[in-house]
Amino acid sequence: MEPLRISHTAHRRPPRRQTPSAHSVRIAAPARAESVHLLRHRASALLTTWAMSADTLAAAELVISELLTNAALHGRDTMTLALTRTSSTLDISVSDHGQTKAAPLRNPAEHGRGLALVAALTCELHVHETPQGWHAQAGMDVEASTPGSSPG
């Protein structure tokens, strides 16, 4: 059976290249609800130092929250959040890996809108299953904050 792949590209961006001015961080944690809160707070604190508009920051925080929540609910036992900020983009990546968890029963009427929301807030979204687990990669065009404006 072919692995599930979900892709969304709102518009084509030039290929990503790491530049010397890029900021990057990776944080791993157990794939549990408590970790979503911790990673979201750490990411938010970090993003406020990476000079972006308040609207971009709020959208990025929501994307991070949705992708982490999916990993905690549906993924394997460990999740990793990776953020990379260049002068014009923010790449958000969430992967889960490790042993599979038993899938809890969910009410479909209360779930299932997260990836549609992420797709609406980003210019790229790619989700695919690997032998190690799930990997979600979202890309955002970043508007820098103007001097004197508050990022939050």
PDB file of all heavy atoms in Angstrom, residues 29-32 75-79 96-101:
ATOM      1  N   ALA A  29      10.345  16.161  21.918  1.00  0.00           N
ATOM      2  CA  ALA A  29       9.616  15.927  23.172  1.00  0.00           C
ATOM      3  C   ALA A  29       8.736  14.693  23.001  1.00  0.00           C
ATOM      4  O   ALA A  29       8.460  14.279  21.876  1.00  0.00           O
ATOM      5  CB  ALA A  29       8.751  17.147  23.510  1.00  0.00           C
ATOM      6  N   PRO A  30       8.279  14.132  24.116  1.00  0.00           N
ATOM      7  CA  PRO A  30       7.315  13.024  24.009  1.00  0.00           C
ATOM      8  C   PRO A  30       6.052  13.509  23.286  1.00  0.00           C
ATOM      9  O   PRO A  30       5.630  14.643  23.462  1.00  0.00           O
ATOM     10  CB  PRO A  30       6.996  12.675  25.470  1.00  0.00           C
ATOM     11  CG  PRO A  30       8.136  13.228  26.254  1.00  0.00           C
ATOM     12  CD  PRO A  30       8.616  14.437  25.508  1.00  0.00           C
ATOM     13  N   ALA A  31       5.470  12.660  22.464  1.00  0.00           N
ATOM     14  CA  ALA A  31       4.263  13.020  21.709  1.00  0.00           C
ATOM     15  C   ALA A  31       3.032  12.882  22.607  1.00  0.00           C
ATOM     16  O   ALA A  31       2.270  11.929  22.524  1.00  0.00           O
ATOM     17  CB  ALA A  31       4.148  12.156  20.460  1.00  0.00           C
ATOM     18  N   ARG A  32       2.878  13.875  23.491  1.00  0.00           N
ATOM     19  CA  ARG A  32       1.752  13.908  24.429  1.00  0.00           C
ATOM     20  C   ARG A  32       1.185  15.329  24.462  1.00  0.00           C
ATOM     21  O   ARG A  32       1.869  16.292  24.127  1.00  0.00           O
ATOM     22  CB  ARG A  32       2.228  13.530  25.838  1.00  0.00           C
ATOM     23  CG  ARG A  32       2.754  12.110  25.949  1.00  0.00           C
ATOM     24  CD  ARG A  32       2.930  11.702  27.401  1.00  0.00           C
ATOM     25  NE  ARG A  32       3.758  12.623  28.146  1.00  0.00           N
ATOM     26  CZ  ARG A  32       4.978  12.343  28.595  1.00  0.00           C
ATOM     27  NH1 ARG A  32       5.525  11.177  28.360  1.00  0.00           N
ATOM     28  NH2 ARG A  32       5.661  13.240  29.282  1.00  0.00           N
ATOM     29  N   GLY A  75       0.342  10.534  16.185  1.00  0.00           N
ATOM     30  CA  GLY A  75       1.682  10.102  15.835  1.00  0.00           C
ATOM     31  C   GLY A  75       2.256   9.024  16.718  1.00  0.00           C
ATOM     32  O   GLY A  75       1.553   8.373  17.484  1.00  0.00           O
ATOM     33  N   ARG A  76       3.529   8.866  16.598  1.00  0.00           N
ATOM     34  CA  ARG A  76       4.255   7.857  17.360  1.00  0.00           C
ATOM     35  C   ARG A  76       4.658   8.441  18.703  1.00  0.00           C
ATOM     36  O   ARG A  76       4.146   9.467  19.116  1.00  0.00           O
ATOM     37  CB  ARG A  76       5.436   7.378  16.548  1.00  0.00           C
ATOM     38  CG  ARG A  76       4.923   6.719  15.254  1.00  0.00           C
ATOM     39  CD  ARG A  76       5.964   5.978  14.556  1.00  0.00           C
ATOM     40  NE  ARG A  76       5.398   5.364  13.358  1.00  0.00           N
ATOM     41  CZ  ARG A  76       5.962   4.390  12.722  1.00  0.00           C
ATOM     42  NH1 ARG A  76       7.113   3.896  13.151  1.00  0.00           N
ATOM     43  NH2 ARG A  76       5.411   3.888  11.648  1.00  0.00           N
ATOM     44  N   ASP A  77       5.613   7.833  19.404  1.00  0.00           N
ATOM     45  CA  ASP A  77       5.829   8.233  20.802  1.00  0.00           C
ATOM     46  C   ASP A  77       6.708   9.458  21.004  1.00  0.00           C
ATOM     47  O   ASP A  77       6.743  10.009  22.088  1.00  0.00           O
ATOM     48  CB  ASP A  77       6.350   7.048  21.625  1.00  0.00           C
ATOM     49  CG  ASP A  77       7.675   6.502  21.157  1.00  0.00           C
ATOM     50  OD1 ASP A  77       8.213   6.995  20.149  1.00  0.00           O
ATOM     51  OD2 ASP A  77       8.172   5.576  21.797  1.00  0.00           O
ATOM     52  N   THR A  78       7.413   9.938  19.977  1.00  0.00           N
ATOM     53  CA  THR A  78       8.250  11.139  20.106  1.00  0.00           C
ATOM     54  C   THR A  78       7.941  12.065  18.940  1.00  0.00           C
ATOM     55  O   THR A  78       7.686  11.614  17.837  1.00  0.00           O
ATOM     56  CB  THR A  78       9.749  10.760  20.070  1.00  0.00           C
ATOM     57  OG1 THR A  78      10.004   9.816  21.099  1.00  0.00           O
ATOM     58  CG2 THR A  78      10.633  11.975  20.286  1.00  0.00           C
ATOM     59  N   MET A  79       7.957  13.384  19.200  1.00  0.00           N
ATOM     60  CA  MET A  79       7.755  14.350  18.122  1.00  0.00           C
ATOM     61  C   MET A  79       8.872  15.379  18.144  1.00  0.00           C
ATOM     62  O   MET A  79       9.436  15.675  19.196  1.00  0.00           O
ATOM     63  CB  MET A  79       6.395  15.020  18.224  1.00  0.00           C
ATOM     64  CG  MET A  79       6.135  15.810  19.458  1.00  0.00           C
ATOM     65  SD  MET A  79       4.411  16.383  19.446  1.00  0.00           S
ATOM     66  CE  MET A  79       4.298  17.048  21.096  1.00  0.00           C
ATOM     67  N   ASP A  96       6.991  12.828  13.741  1.00  0.00           N
ATOM     68  CA  ASP A  96       6.876  11.920  14.880  1.00  0.00           C
ATOM     69  C   ASP A  96       7.641  10.656  14.521  1.00  0.00           C
ATOM     70  O   ASP A  96       7.822  10.334  13.355  1.00  0.00           O
ATOM     71  CB  ASP A  96       5.419  11.631  15.247  1.00  0.00           C
ATOM     72  CG  ASP A  96       4.657  10.926  14.162  1.00  0.00           C
ATOM     73  OD1 ASP A  96       4.907   9.721  13.941  1.00  0.00           O
ATOM     74  OD2 ASP A  96       3.799  11.565  13.531  1.00  0.00           O
ATOM     75  N   HIS A  97       8.146  10.007  15.528  1.00  0.00           N
ATOM     76  CA  HIS A  97       8.965   8.819  15.304  1.00  0.00           C
ATOM     77  C   HIS A  97       8.947   7.959  16.551  1.00  0.00           C
ATOM     78  O   HIS A  97       8.471   8.385  17.604  1.00  0.00           O
ATOM     79  CB  HIS A  97      10.399   9.201  14.915  1.00  0.00           C
ATOM     80  CG  HIS A  97      10.902  10.417  15.618  1.00  0.00           C
ATOM     81  ND1 HIS A  97      11.569  10.376  16.810  1.00  0.00           N
ATOM     82  CD2 HIS A  97      10.791  11.735  15.301  1.00  0.00           C
ATOM     83  CE1 HIS A  97      11.861  11.606  17.195  1.00  0.00           C
ATOM     84  NE2 HIS A  97      11.403  12.445  16.314  1.00  0.00           N
ATOM     85  N   GLY A  98       9.427   6.742  16.416  1.00  0.00           N
ATOM     86  CA  GLY A  98       9.449   5.824  17.547  1.00  0.00           C
ATOM     87  C   GLY A  98       8.394   4.754  17.398  1.00  0.00           C
ATOM     88  O   GLY A  98       7.933   4.453  16.301  1.00  0.00           O
ATOM     89  N   GLN A  99       7.996   4.197  18.523  1.00  0.00           N
ATOM     90  CA  GLN A  99       6.999   3.127  18.541  1.00  0.00           C
ATOM     91  C   GLN A  99       5.616   3.692  18.252  1.00  0.00           C
ATOM     92  O   GLN A  99       5.282   4.796  18.668  1.00  0.00           O
ATOM     93  CB  GLN A  99       6.988   2.436  19.917  1.00  0.00           C
ATOM     94  CG  GLN A  99       8.307   1.793  20.270  1.00  0.00           C
ATOM     95  CD  GLN A  99       8.672   0.706  19.283  1.00  0.00           C
ATOM     96  OE1 GLN A  99       7.864  -0.134  18.936  1.00  0.00           O
ATOM     97  NE2 GLN A  99       9.909   0.737  18.796  1.00  0.00           N
ATOM     98  N   THR A 100       4.797   2.920  17.540  1.00  0.00           N
ATOM     99  CA  THR A 100       3.422   3.345  17.267  1.00  0.00           C
ATOM    100  C   THR A 100       2.594   3.280  18.537  1.00  0.00           C
ATOM    101  O   THR A 100       2.835   2.455  19.405  1.00  0.00           O
ATOM    102  CB  THR A 100       2.758   2.455  16.198  1.00  0.00           C
ATOM    103  OG1 THR A 100       3.322   1.175  16.223  1.00  0.00           O
ATOM    104  CG2 THR A 100       2.846   3.041  14.856  1.00  0.00           C
ATOM    105  N   LYS A 101       1.655   4.206  18.623  1.00  0.00           N
ATOM    106  CA  LYS A 101       0.714   4.238  19.747  1.00  0.00           C
ATOM    107  C   LYS A 101      -0.607   3.684  19.270  1.00  0.00           C
ATOM    108  O   LYS A 101      -0.938   3.770  18.090  1.00  0.00           O
ATOM    109  CB  LYS A 101       0.483   5.679  20.213  1.00  0.00           C
ATOM    110  CG  LYS A 101       1.698   6.418  20.684  1.00  0.00           C
ATOM    111  CD  LYS A 101       1.337   7.754  21.270  1.00  0.00           C
ATOM    112  CE  LYS A 101       0.943   8.781  20.255  1.00  0.00           C
ATOM    113  NZ  LYS A 101       0.812  10.125  20.780  1.00  0.00           N
TER     114      LYS A 101
END
